[in-house]
Amino acid sequence: MFPTVREVLALDPVRRGAPRLVAGDAGIDRLVRWVHVAEVPDIASLLGGGELVLTTGIGLPADDAGLRAFIGDLADVGVSGLVVELGRRYVNGVPRVMVAAAERRGLPLVELRRATPFVRITEAVHALIVDAQLTELRATEEIHQRFTELSVEGAGPGEVVRQAAELSGCPVVLENLSRQVLAYDPAGESAELLLDGWEQHSRRIRPTGRTAYDPDNGWLVTAVGARGQDWGRLLLRWPAGGDLTSGRPSRFLTAPGVRREEARSPFVPPTRLTILVERAASTLALGRLIRRDAEGLERQIHRTLLTALLDHARPVDEVALRAKALGVALERRHLVGVMVRFRADDPGGDAVSTGDLGEAVPASGAARLRDLAEAVEQALREAKLVALTSAVDDHAVGALIALPDAAAEERALAAFAAALRRGRVDAPAGRPDGASRVDEHRPETAPHPEAPARPEPVPRQGGRALGRPGGADHRGDRHRVPREHGRPCPVIIAAGSGVSSLREARRSLVEARQIADAARRDRRDLPIFRLPHVGLAGLLHLLRDEPRVQTFVERELGALLAYDAQHPREQLLDTLRAYLEQGRNKSAAATAAHLSRPAFYERLARIGRILDVDLDSVDACLSLHVALLALDAIRTP
């Protein structure tokens, strides 16, 4: 916001004095913070740096050493320049010793060859400074107003970044902590050049402080986050052209008070840009908090109502009334209970979850369940279905779908299943489909954390958030869905029988939960599991609390379970399971158990001795297989 020495010399009151620069032309683009008139030799002790000093020279030292010390003191304190009016002390020109000293220190030394009222110069320069300050204040006010409106409107990251680029005229990039681009706006420059090799380039930008300028790379950077947790960085490239070596004149070349030999970069961003990036960062952080809190409250209400139906915790009429107020009409609707859970053998231990704007964090069980709940909600929205939905326990996400009539049930469930799989619930964890970007691209060097392979980079201009196209198309055979990398989809979608009133909704929800639990080891790729699909496993799951079933399991498998408890490294129960699941094919079972045939045969013989059964007998194996299924049902959480 301050003028330079060059701009001061171009003012009319100064030009009337016939100014001539006699030394220090290298510092002519220093900023002038203020103008000070001085006629004493020890004036430096009263200055703070950035002043343009005016003098007639009548009080300056007479000896050369004194003049050198005078110039040295001014340079040390960081004044912008020294203007000497000729005619009173010096007639034909300032002493050569002053010229040499000023040139050596890079201090602009100007002669005024005609008498000039200093008050006219100070008035003109101070008016210029005040006007620049007012302009800066207006710009700052516009920044605050613009981002306050964005905060109130709940603008997304793409719009915030676009506004920041528009106000600054500079390229702006929002990235997560893994240096992956979440949103950007090239401000009219080439998006390809801006994002090419972004991760490597970003890791070289290492400013000091929460908000700081990296002069070596030309980026103004601030952290984005709230409540003590940063989740990204907002970067603004300044100067906008990215050329730090052009040597072109600038109004912001050297900060007041900084000696030329100490300056590492000739460019310092204006204060308004620092305010802008910090205000934009706070808007991004606030927007995320608002969205998360609002979403969290809605989810809490959904869970309260769904749990109330499952546990009979509230009257049905109250649930219907609160659900209607939430925008979910349950009365006079055909209702279907749905449960979605991960398969029992899906590892998930090394899964990686992604935050709201793409940052990678380790996935715990709670995080995976939360991500699954988000995927279910997104699938319901895509299928245009109205439902209560939330996690119902530590393993499953439930939904009570409200349909206009029973005829729409099969079509609605098929649409929901297809949308859920398009949302890539088969990924380790994370949001169902895409980051917060209207533009559909990410730079090739910064792959989306949810994608198994990098999408093709086709960036477009504009302040948009980065995302990726939807998942695979699952049209075709309605009874089977594609496998991912040769494995079934790691989630089970189970649906209970449709009911015609809210009072019967619990039966549909409980049935869906039982079907999901019973099918957790089923290797079929059915889009939706219904009661006929689970067969014996479903029946045993319904009877798992029956003492006679538990007694049967102990009678059939108790000796083997006791042996495994004493020999935990062998786990013969898994060997028996592999043998029975492979239809008593010993070769296939040995392969499935990752054992050699002799070792597998020896284990089978040991199992036969422990249980006192003939494993070649169809009846004996049938009884053991039923006992295994019952044991799985009993052990299901």
Side-chain angles (χ1 to χ4, degrees), residues 96-383:
R96 292 182 180 178
V97 65
M98 289 183 64
V99 175
E103 185 65 32
R104 185 168 56 253
R105 299 299 300 270
L107 178 68
L109 179 57
V110 179
E111 295 178 342
L112 292 180
R113 290 168 290 174
R114 288 200 296 263
T116 304
F118 283 171
V119 68
R120 299 287 187 267
I121 298 177
T122 57
E123 286 177 346
V125 175
H126 292 168
L128 191 63
I129 292 173
V130 171
D131 183 65
Q133 289 175 333
L134 287 175
T135 301
E136 192 82 359
L137 287 173
R138 294 190 189 100
T140 302
E141 183 181 359
E142 182 181 1
I143 289 170
H144 285 292
Q145 181 177 354
R146 187 80 62 92
F147 286 110
T148 298
E149 292 174 355
L150 292 175
S151 298
V152 172
E153 294 170 359
E159 178 62 18
V160 174
V161 169
R162 189 188 71 80
Q163 293 286 351
E166 179 180 311
L167 289 171
S168 65
C170 302
V172 179
V173 176
L174 173 65
E175 65 177 15
N176 63 17
L177 298 181
S178 297
R179 305 299 195 269
Q180 294 167 332
V181 178
L182 304 175
Y184 72 92
D185 192 308
E189 298 185 15
S190 168
E192 290 83 354
L193 293 178
L194 177 67
L195 300 180
D196 184 38
W198 174 259
E199 181 177 348
Q200 291 76 14
H201 178 64
S202 174
R203 293 188 185 279
R204 292 193 294 267
I205 304 173
R206 304 177 66 180
T208 57
R210 187 169 181 82
T211 301
Y213 180 64
D214 184 344
D216 295 330
N217 294 284
W219 286 90
L220 179 61
V221 185
T222 189
V224 183
R227 296 176 178 172
Q229 294 184 343
D230 293 337
W231 51 263
R233 298 198 307 175
L234 187 66
L235 302 94
L236 181 148
R237 191 171 71 190
W238 190 89
D243 183 5
L244 298 177
T245 59
S246 63
R248 60 181 176 82
S250 170
R251 293 188 58 189
F252 310 100
L253 283 177
T254 305
V258 178
R259 290 182 294 179
R260 178 175 178 271
E261 57 268 29
E262 295 176 348
R264 295 292 179 263
S265 170
F267 291 93
V268 177
T271 304
R272 64 179 177 83
L273 291 186
T274 301
I275 295 173
L276 186 145
V277 295
E278 290 181 337
R279 194 67 176 83
S282 64
T283 301
L284 290 167
L286 179 61
R288 185 183 184 192
L289 287 175
I290 291 174
R291 288 191 297 272
R292 176 175 292 178
D293 290 345
E295 183 178 292
L297 180 59
E298 184 177 348
R299 285 182 180 176
Q300 290 174 19
I301 299 175
H302 274 252
R303 181 160 191 165
T304 298
L305 298 180
L306 207 56
T307 304
L309 288 174
L310 284 167
D311 301 339
H312 293 300
R314 295 175 183 270
V316 173
D317 294 340
E318 180 183 342
V319 172
L321 184 62
R322 293 193 62 182
K324 184 177 181 180
L326 196 61
V328 181
L330 299 177
E331 294 178 308
R332 293 188 291 277
R333 294 290 190 276
H334 182 75
L335 305 175
V336 183
V338 174
M339 292 287 166
V340 182
R341 62 165 294 162
F342 286 102
R343 292 181 182 270
D345 56 353
D346 184 52
D350 299 326
V352 175
S353 175
T354 54
D356 289 355
L357 289 167
E359 66 272 24
V361 294
S364 63
R368 296 183 73 234
L369 186 65
R370 181 198 64 218
D371 293 341
L372 181 60
E374 292 177 353
V376 171
E377 292 173 7
Q378 178 65 20
L380 289 169
R381 285 193 293 268
E382 288 187 17

Side-chain angles (χ1 to χ4, degrees), residues 374-386 412 415-424 432-434 470-471:
E374 292 177 353
V376 171
E377 292 173 7
Q378 178 65 20
L380 289 169
R381 285 193 293 268
E382 288 187 17
K384 296 181 173 58
L385 298 176
V386 176
F416 167 70
L420 187 61
R421 284 170 169 80
R422 279 199 305 272
R424 299 201 60 80
D433 195 18

